[in-house]
Amino acid sequence: VVEVKVGLHCDECIKKILKAIKKIEDIETYNVDKQLNKVIVTGNVTDEEVIGVLHKIGKNATVWENVQENVQC
């Protein structure tokens, strides 16, 4: 499971992101959480593959674990 934070500003952004993710080989499922700006991809994929695909379409993405470490309770 790969979870990344990426800016989901509008429906057009989401369509672009989903279209790019669908092209990754060996994915099983993918989901977008617009409220959290989070993309979740399951399958035989790495963080680097997902982030690389998003960077190719001009999206800045970071691994979700890094985001969680910065959250203060």
Side-chain angles (χ1 to χ4, degrees):
V1 177
V2 174
E3 297 179 335
V4 295
K5 180 172 179 67
V6 61
L8 304 171
H9 307 291
C10 63
D11 289 340
E12 204 55 45
C13 290
I14 293 170
K15 282 182 195 172
K16 199 173 177 183
I17 288 167
L18 292 178
K19 185 177 178 183
I21 287 173
K22 286 179 194 175
K23 293 178 182 176
I24 302 172
E25 288 185 33
D26 295 331
I27 63 167
E28 294 170 13
T29 63
Y30 51 89
N31 196 8
V32 172
D33 187 326
K34 193 173 178 180
Q35 288 182 325
L36 294 176
N37 286 316
K38 184 177 189 178
V39 174
I40 305 157
V41 182
T42 60
N44 188 21
V45 292
T46 64
D47 297 340
E48 291 79 18
E49 283 178 295
V50 175
I51 290 171
V53 165
L54 295 174
H55 282 193
K56 280 184 185 174
I57 61 167
K59 292 291 176 188
N60 187 19
T62 55
V63 177
W64 190 258
E65 288 94 43
N66 296 343
V67 173
Q68 293 297 336
E69 291 170 5
N70 297 327
V71 175
Q72 306 253 333
C73 291

